[in-house]
Amino acid sequence: PFSYKLATRQVYEQILVPRTGVKYIPVLLLPDNRIIQDTSNIMDYIEQEFTRTSIYTKDNTLHFIGKLVECFADEWMLLPSMHYRWNFPEYNNDFLFQSFGATMLPDDPPQRQVKAGKGFARFFSGARQPLGIYDRSIPIIEGQAVKFLHLLNCHFSEHDYFLGEEPTLADFSLMGPVFSHLSQDPYPKKLLEKNYPNIIAWINRVHNAKNNVGLLFNA
């Protein structure tokens, strides 16, 4: 059981930055006022506390594959996610400014939301070069992303979820970059819809799935 709260400017200033020292979400605020930052740590905590169901498979080999996918999604998929989000401003920026601003200042008028969104966008878009996203590396990043998305699209032509018939750690890990970045931002969204229909279908399945794990994924 949980309550989903928007990461508004007030939440950032009063909770996130003072408690974690960084401006990253998601975080999990526990009933005893402890706070857990980083998706992997949050999932590990929930697995330990709620043992009746699990997003891990019982098969050791598949469990190991799920952990590899988690690492891949968290570390490597960050590069194409950031590239396709921030290097196509003519397609994405209006959407991103409004989306970020509406989250930070949900009760403010659209003009103030956009202004706030621009400031937030400058912070995150500035991470491209420190991550290694620059002119010389972009063709490599795009080439590897296209290869991966092609393989993933082929995989989902035969399987409902990454490791079988129900969503597991592998699916939830991939949903972060593939759904939140590639399928929502206008430029990569067009690429997915045009070239990778099975990935779009998988995203919808994960969002709509109530399965025997007892989990409804709602990003």
Side-chain angles (χ1 to χ4, degrees), residues 29-205:
L29 182 61
L30 301 175
D32 61 7
N33 206 34
R34 286 180 297 156
I35 195 165
I36 301 176
Q37 188 272 320
D38 187 77
T39 308
S40 297
N41 294 335
I42 291 171
M43 288 192 291
D44 287 342
Y45 171 82
I46 292 174
E47 284 291 311
Q48 294 169 9
E49 291 295 313
F50 299 91
T51 57
R52 186 172 61 88
T53 57
S54 177
I55 61 170
Y56 298 141
T57 63
K58 294 180 180 180
D59 182 277
N60 288 334
T61 301
L62 294 182
H63 178 73
F64 177 69
I65 292 172
K67 285 290 190 179
L68 282 180
V69 172
E70 180 188 24
C71 180
F72 172 81
D74 190 39
E75 301 297 335
W76 184 85
M77 284 300 291
L78 182 61
L79 297 178
S81 296
M82 294 290 284
H83 164 61
Y84 284 112
R85 167 162 287 184
W86 298 116
N87 284 336
F88 299 90
E90 66 273 27
Y91 295 96
N92 294 337
N93 274 8
D94 288 345
F95 167 79
L96 294 171
F97 296 160
Q98 183 61 49
S99 298
F100 285 174
T103 298
M104 295 178 68
L105 303 172
D107 299 322
D108 282 28
Q111 296 87 342
R112 290 197 62 192
Q113 291 177 344
V114 169
K115 183 178 180 180
K118 287 181 178 179
F120 209 60
R122 279 195 297 271
F123 171 79
F124 283 106
S125 64
R128 283 171 292 177
Q129 287 198 348
L131 288 171
I133 303 170
Y134 44 86
D135 290 345
R136 191 173 63 179
S137 65
I138 285 173
I140 300 172
I141 293 170
E142 288 190 351
Q144 292 180 341
V146 166
K147 182 178 181 180
F148 169 70
L149 291 172
H150 170 74
L151 292 172
L152 195 63
N153 191 66
C154 291
H155 183 74
F156 289 136
S157 70
E158 300 180 7
H159 305 280
D160 284 345
Y161 300 102
F162 197 90
L163 295 177
E165 298 179 354
E166 62 185 31
T168 63
L169 173 67
D171 297 277
F172 301 137
S173 299
L174 286 171
M175 280 289 283
V178 177
F179 168 73
S180 299
H181 288 257
L182 301 183
S183 83
Q184 296 296 290
D185 298 347
Y187 182 80
K189 180 180 180 180
K190 288 184 179 180
L191 297 180
L192 280 189
E193 291 176 342
K194 179 181 178 181
N195 299 314
Y196 310 107
N198 296 324
I199 294 178
I200 297 294
W202 163 75
I203 289 171
N204 292 331
R205 276 195 299 274

